[in-house]
Amino acid sequence: MTQMHNTSAEQWTAREKLIFRFFFLFFIIQALPLSVDFFKIVFGFKWLYMSYGNIFDLTRLSAKFVPGAERLINWLIVGAISLIGTAFWSRSQYKEANYNELYYWLRVGVRYRLAIGIIGYGFIKFFPMQAPFPSISNLNTSYGDFTTWKLFSMSLGIVPGYEAFLGGVEILAGLLLFFRKTATMGAIIILVFTGNVFISNLAYEGGEYVYALYLISFALFVLWFDAIRIYNLIALERPTKPNVFKPYFTTKIKPIRTAVKGFIIFFFVFFYGFKTYSGSHHDPYQFPKTKGLPEAAGIYNVTEFKINNKVLPYHPADPLRWKDVVFENWATMSMRSNRPVLIDSLNYERIFTNDKERNYELAGSGGRHYYAYQLDTINHVLSLENKNSHYKGEHLKFKYSRPDTATIVLNGTNENDDSLYVVLNRIDKKYPLKMSRRKALKL
């Protein structure tokens, strides 16, 4: 058992005990991986070849009873369970437990859960992957065709140094939380930092505001331990006694505590950090990893377009004729036309290993249709599938030829089995974002 020593032992009133029982149960349930995604995540691991995405999914696990993105309805369910548990606890033989000891262990659990959660996001920012540099398609999409969330994400992606700085702040805060003497400082950093993330998600319609609020609630709990002392010292400028609380562990508990703490820090800091670093160089998660058509990346003007052997001249309002086409470095081709796009707006953080599920390039973006393609270099065939979840089952197939390095000719069928003949000519376009800003640009 742990022995708790404090020079000014606190006495708990009946009301304080009742409130503590509720919050003890509430935060314990929130911290445990009681998620509908738990078994899907854990049994989906390749334990001998664990990726940074697997560890990131672990850092996000929390009480979730409704599938999909984080929702406040899960908090209501946790609150209801905690109320029922509080009622039973208040009538049980354990109602007069050692509340100082329970408070200590609860704070330890909350500290570590908060540290793991904030570090999970810290490394994918520190090695700038969460908000990558915009794709060629994104750079050739009209400003008004983006959602506010996508504009925010791309604005962060064009300054990887700043993104890495933000990740460093999150990692630092997480490290401070692993140690009792610096936990309050870590909680203050998280309240300022994650509070900004929460407001940004509300302002830009992001999908992470509930999870940000989850981390904020944990940080508030950790900070509460020293909140009154900080208020008296800074706000009221009164003499304030330092926190002299110090736990003592029995000889049996101490080595176990050290081993568990060491494993958590090794796994979620050093091992996860190494995996994320490796992933940032070999498999950034936002964009597909399958290589695209060799030496084809760029934007192309549609100089000739035939449908069912009928030539369609360019017209900006034509929903059938393509305006331009982009080939990415990976196996994605995007096409701009006047055909409406139903925007895929799912924007909460997920790390997928399957290229088909990696939808960052099109999420929050209108104006263009995005197609993943399979490349048959022997028969010169492109088999395309619309990546947007609103257009499942939309397939196109083309024979391709390349008369020269700047031209691609597509001949095949569209999603309606209409025959298409398309001639694409590469545009030698320069992007100021990719060029030096320390001298005059020549476009």
Side-chain angles (χ1 to χ4, degrees):
M1 292 294 293
T2 308
Q3 298 176 355
M4 299 294 147
H5 293 269
N6 197 329
T7 56
S8 56
E10 296 183 4
Q11 299 298 321
W12 294 69
T13 66
R15 182 182 179 183
E16 288 172 338
K17 290 179 181 179
L18 182 64
I19 295 173
F20 175 81
R21 290 169 198 150
F22 171 81
F23 282 105
F24 181 88
L25 294 173
F26 181 85
F27 281 108
I28 286 293
I29 296 172
Q30 285 279 52
L32 292 175
L34 303 174
S35 173
V36 293
D37 300 325
F38 177 78
F39 292 104
K40 178 182 177 181
I41 290 173
V42 172
F43 289 109
F45 280 8
K46 295 180 180 179
W47 290 97
L48 296 178
Y49 304 97
M50 186 177 293
S51 69
Y52 68 93
N54 296 143
I55 304 174
F56 175 81
D57 289 338
L58 279 179
T59 69
R60 274 191 59 98
L61 281 176
S62 59
K64 186 168 72 171
F65 306 95
V66 181
E70 302 285 346
R71 302 179 187 177
L72 288 175
I73 184 65
N74 291 305
W75 290 41
L76 294 177
I77 295 173
V78 172
I81 295 173
S82 301
L83 280 174
I84 295 171
T86 300
F88 279 101
W89 188 353
S90 299
R91 290 168 173 77
S92 74
Q93 59 180 324
Y94 302 105
K95 64 181 180 181
E96 296 302 330
N98 186 331
Y99 286 87
N100 287 326
E101 186 169 342
L102 288 177
Y103 183 29
Y104 170 79
W105 284 113
L106 175 60
R107 193 166 182 264
V108 169
V110 170
R111 280 198 293 115
Y112 275 66
R113 175 62 188 92
L114 179 57
I116 290 170
I118 202 69
I119 286 174
Y121 275 86
F123 276 112
I124 62 173
K125 287 191 184 77
F126 187 72
F127 304 110
M129 293 191 290
Q130 185 180 12
F133 194 88
S135 66
I136 302 174
S137 297
N138 292 156
L139 292 173
N140 288 281
T141 300
S142 299
Y143 186 89
D145 285 328
F146 292 115
T147 62
T148 52
W149 163 79
K150 190 57 174 283
L151 289 172
F152 176 81
S153 181
M154 291 194 302
S155 297
L156 181 59
I158 64 175
V159 279
Y162 179 62
E163 184 179 355
F165 166 75
L166 296 179
V169 171
E170 290 182 308
I171 295 170
L172 173 63
L175 291 174
L176 292 174
L177 285 165
F178 282 127
F179 304 95
R180 177 174 48 84
K181 294 180 179 179
T182 56
T184 296
M185 184 59 67
I188 292 173
I189 293 174
I190 290 175
L191 283 175
V192 175
F193 184 93
T194 311
N196 183 58
V197 173
F198 173 71
I199 296 299
S200 297
N201 271 267
L202 290 180
Y204 293 97
E205 300 176 350
E208 297 287 320
Y209 67 93
V210 175
Y211 189 71
L213 189 62
Y214 170 85
L215 297 178
I216 289 171
S217 68
F218 275 51
L220 283 171
F221 179 83
V222 173
L223 179 60
W224 184 255
F225 186 72
D226 287 318
I228 302 300
R229 280 183 285 270
I230 293 173
Y231 176 74
N232 285 333
L233 178 65
I234 297 178
L236 302 181
E237 298 182 354
R238 293 176 178 173
T240 305
K241 291 183 179 180
N243 170 29
V244 293
F245 172 82
K246 184 178 181 180
Y248 290 89
F249 299 94
T250 62
T251 54
K252 292 182 179 180
I253 293 293
K254 193 171 184 178
I256 297 175
R257 169 185 172 272
T258 303
V260 171
K261 182 174 184 176
F263 173 78
I264 291 174
I265 293 176
F266 169 78
F267 185 80
F268 288 105
V269 178
F270 295 101
F271 184 68
Y272 176 51
F274 169 76
K275 284 290 187 178
T276 311
Y277 169 79
S278 177
S280 68
H281 286 77
H282 304 293
D283 186 20
Y285 71 95
Q286 295 288 30
F287 296 133
K289 58 186 175 183
T290 304
K291 296 296 183 181
L293 188 64
E295 300 180 358
I299 182 170
Y300 293 76
N301 186 34
V302 180
T303 56
E304 187 176 349
F305 188 92
K306 292 181 182 179
I307 181 167
N308 295 325
N309 295 318
K310 179 183 178 182
V311 176
L312 284 186
Y314 175 77
H315 192 285
D318 192 334
L320 297 178
R321 194 186 195 280
W322 302 354
K323 296 180 180 179
D324 63 58
V325 169
V326 167
F327 281 89
E328 302 287 356
N329 287 300
W330 50 89
T332 294
M333 185 191 90
S334 72
M335 176 270 293
R336 184 171 67 96
S337 72
N338 202 46
R339 177 190 171 198
V341 176
L342 297 175
I343 295 179
D344 185 341
S345 57
L346 292 178
N347 54 14
Y348 61 94
E349 205 62 42
R350 296 162 297 173
I351 296 180
F352 294 118
T353 56
N354 188 344
D355 278 1
K356 190 174 182 179
E357 297 174 307
R358 295 182 175 185
N359 70 336
Y360 176 82
E361 56 188 331
L362 64 106
S365 174
R368 310 187 74 90
H369 287 275
Y370 288 76
Y371 298 90
Y373 62 83
Q374 293 182 342
L375 177 64
D376 182 348
T377 56
I378 297 176
N379 298 307
H380 299 280
V381 174
L382 291 176
S383 301
L384 285 74
E385 180 179 3
N386 199 316
K387 297 188 67 174
N388 193 317
S389 60
H390 297 295
Y391 300 92
K392 288 183 178 179
E394 182 178 302
H395 297 272
L396 297 82
K397 192 169 186 177
F398 296 105
K399 291 275 290 185
Y400 72 90
S401 61
R402 306 179 73 176
D404 55 63
T405 56
T407 305
I408 298 177
V409 179
L410 303 177
N411 194 351
T413 56
N414 65 8
E415 67 277 7
N416 299 317
D417 287 329
D418 296 315
S419 66
L420 291 183
Y421 177 83
V422 186
V423 179
L424 307 175
N425 287 102
R426 193 200 307 263
I427 302 172
D428 185 18
K429 187 172 183 178
K430 296 181 175 63
Y431 302 93
L433 282 175
K434 294 184 177 181
M435 301 170 68
S436 172
R437 302 183 186 184
R438 304 200 179 271
K439 57 185 178 180
L441 298 179
K442 294 181 180 180
L443 300 179

